Each structure stands twice: as structure tokens, then as C-alpha cells.
Amino acid sequence: MLNEQLKAIKRELGILKDDKDSVSEKFRQRLASLTVPVTIMEVIEQELAKLSNLESSSAEFSVTRNYLDWLTSIPWGRYTEDSLDLVKAREILDHDHYGMTEAKDRILVVQPSSNCLGVYSLISENTGLVLDQLTIEKSVLQTLIRFYTRESGVRNLNHLIERIYRKAALNSILNPVNEKNLTPERLADLIGPVKYPENTFYGKKTPVGVTTGLAWTAVGGAVLYVECRPRPEGGSGQLLLTGNLGDVMKESSEIALTVSQSFLKRKYPDNDFLVLNKGRIHLHVPEVI
């Protein structure tokens, strides 16, 4: 009680100010040295007026105070000269961050602008390279479609082509090379390794125990290899199933084993591997990319 009376006396004498008054004065002192746009200043005045009507103990008071603190901390009207020296920017990034090449390239590409045409406007000023000076051969498009994208539309393909132009534009500044024609061999350097490699592990002719199958995927389908090997040890006449197998494929595999055992029992009744259950089969179906 005595403390509250003492505070009231100090306020009347002008010795002590309310928290709201102190906070508002601090914000106005910050604004005195800034050139705040009219629209922003209107928002600040509205928030200051709202702050003066709120109880300092309320949650909304803290929210409004934090908002004003952020608004008045921005250096309104103060500007620095931008540096678009990409070579220097590359040196700084390489010095401060090890690896992360793709992330650093992305930073350098979007530094002058957030779109491909903006990048090329900068390139034309520095190197004279423009969009129609880099030719993408038909074989490059075929490689992109076959090994980098798998979709029903062309959104990812368009995205990859934009990445190629952005990276080529960046390279023309960092490593000036008179590159006019883009070949498939250069794709790995520009957009990374292939995303969907061909599963040609066995060439044109598969060995005994391996066959090809078709798999359904979200973007159409794919060819996969089904691999099968005998395992004489630990025989039980059962299947060892590994790989990417759903319930239907597991059931189909069990049915195939039953049919095989029935066939062998008729044709080769003395077969001790499957008929007499002295061995088992390992069936592997790799995951489809």
C-alpha cells in the first residue's frame, strides 16, 4: 500500500512516469532520426494510441509493444549501396561455408533477381550473354525427360530448363567460357547426377534366375528385375521374400512356389530341393524408383 502511494506521489510530481509513457517516449525517440514512409507512420501512430489505452499488465500490451519495437527498429530511410560482384560473393561463401555447392549456387543465382530473366539482364551487362545464345540440343531434352523427370506434365521439365539457364548464366560470370551448345554430358555439372538411372544391370540378356517385370508407378510404370536364387542350406521348402513386395505380390509368389512344387513332383519326384523340402528359394524384387 505504501509503495503504491509513493508511486502515485512521484507521478504527480513528475518524478516517475507510467510504463506506457516511458515505452511510447522510447519509440518516438527512435523515430526522430528516421525517415518513415507516411503509410508506415500512420500504422505506428495507431499502435501508439492503442498502447496508451491498454493496461500494462495485459497480454495485448506486450504484443503491441513488441510490434512497435520491431517497427521502430527498422532503419527507415537509411540505404546502403548494393554489391553485385558475384565473384566476390562466391569467395565469401566458399570461405565461410564448406561444401554445399548447390545451395551456394542458388544463393548466387537469386542475388540479382528472383527470376531467370532478371539473371540474364545482369549477365548481358557483364558478359554479353543473352538467352538465345545458349542452344539446348534435342539430345539434352531427351536426356532430361528420360533420366531427370517422370511426370505426366512438363512442370518439372520447365523447372530443370530454368535451372540450366540460371547455372549457365552464373558460370559465364564466374568462369567465362564461350559455351554456345549444351550437350548431355554437361548436365551433371549444371543440375547434378541423373535422378532416375536406367536399371540395365544385366544388359540385353538376363542370366538364369532373373526375369523382367512391369511395375505400376504414380507416373506411369517402370521395368524391374525379379531375382531368384536357390538356398540349399536351412531347407524348408519355403520362400524367403525380400525387396519391395506388396501383399498381392507376396501371395502371387506363394502361388508360384506351390505350382512349381506340384510340377516338379509329377516330373521329378526324386527332386530333393523343393519336392522333399531340403532347400528354399530366395526371391528379391528391387524397389522401383
Side-chain angles (χ1 to χ4, degrees):
M1 177 68 75
L2 292 176
N3 287 333
E4 292 299 324
Q5 291 177 349
L6 180 60
K7 288 182 180 180
I9 294 172
K10 287 184 177 181
R11 289 193 194 98
E12 292 178 1
L13 296 175
I15 301 174
L16 181 66
K17 295 183 179 180
D18 287 333
D19 290 340
K20 293 185 288 186
D21 295 335
S22 300
V23 171
S24 298
E25 184 177 343
K26 179 183 70 173
F27 292 148
R28 292 195 181 279
Q29 287 176 354
R30 288 182 184 176
L31 294 171
S33 60
L34 300 175
T35 305
V36 184
V38 176
T39 54
I40 302 299
M41 196 62 199
E42 290 176 356
V43 174
I44 293 176
E45 291 293 350
Q46 291 174 2
E47 294 298 317
L48 286 171
K50 182 171 73 172
L51 187 72
S52 64
N53 294 322
L54 293 172
E55 291 294 332
S56 58
S57 59
S58 67
E60 191 174 357
F61 179 87
S62 298
V63 173
T64 305
R65 181 184 58 193
N66 292 338
Y67 183 39
L68 283 167
D69 183 59
W70 175 74
L71 283 174
T72 56
S73 297
I74 298 175
W76 301 106
R78 297 175 183 173
Y79 304 95
T80 58
E81 185 177 351
D82 291 332
S83 174
L84 299 180
D85 188 344
L86 298 185
V87 176
K88 183 64 176 179
R90 164 65 81 180
E91 293 176 356
I92 295 173
L93 287 172
D94 289 339
H95 179 270
D96 294 343
H97 306 282
Y98 177 78
M100 300 189 298
T101 303
E102 185 175 349
K104 290 188 288 190
D105 286 347
R106 185 63 176 166
I107 291 173
L108 293 174
V109 164
V110 301
Q111 187 190 46
S113 177
S114 61
N115 57 68
C116 187
L117 293 178
V119 172
Y120 269 88
S121 65
L122 176 71
I123 299 304
S124 61
E125 295 174 8
N126 288 272
T127 65
L129 176 66
V130 292
L131 281 169
D132 58 1
Q133 289 182 347
L134 180 64
T135 302
I136 296 182
E137 298 180 357
K138 183 178 180 180
S139 58
V140 173
L141 293 177
Q142 292 173 337
T143 302
L144 288 174
I145 294 170
R146 187 172 184 180
F147 299 111
Y148 285 89
T149 63
R150 285 187 180 176
E151 60 174 353
S152 57
V154 295
R155 179 178 299 176
N156 285 339
L157 178 61
N158 182 67
H159 175 67
L160 287 173
I161 293 174
E162 289 179 354
R163 282 181 58 190
I164 289 171
Y165 274 110
R166 285 196 297 262
K167 189 63 179 291
L170 179 62
N171 288 345
S172 67
I173 291 180
L174 301 179
N175 303 297
V177 177
N178 188 21
E179 184 177 36
K180 301 298 183 182
N181 297 318
L182 180 64
T183 60
E185 292 73 24
R186 287 279 291 126
L187 286 179
D189 296 330
L190 295 175
I191 57 176
V194 297
K195 189 175 181 181
Y196 304 103
E198 273 191 329
N199 295 327
T200 54
F201 305 119
Y202 300 102
K204 294 183 179 180
K205 186 176 181 180
T206 57
V208 175
V210 178
T211 187
T212 54
L214 293 176
W216 176 90
T217 66
V219 292
V223 176
L224 74 160
Y225 291 100
V226 180
E227 303 165 336
C228 186
R229 290 289 186 272
R231 295 189 62 176
E233 73 282 357
S236 60
Q238 296 180 345
L239 276 176
L240 172 62
L241 300 175
T242 58
N244 187 25
L245 285 164
D247 292 336
V248 174
M249 292 186 69
K250 289 179 181 178
E251 292 175 359
S252 298
S253 301
E254 294 288 348
I255 292 172
L257 177 62
T258 301
V259 173
S260 299
Q261 288 175 324
S262 177
F263 172 79
L264 288 173
K265 188 173 183 179
R266 292 196 310 269
K267 299 289 290 186
Y268 308 100
D270 297 329
N271 184 292
D272 61 355
F273 188 79
L274 287 179
V275 176
L276 301 180
N277 294 335
K278 291 187 177 181
R280 62 176 177 170
I281 298 294
H282 181 185
L283 183 68
H284 177 71
V285 179
E287 183 176 358
V288 179
I289 300 178

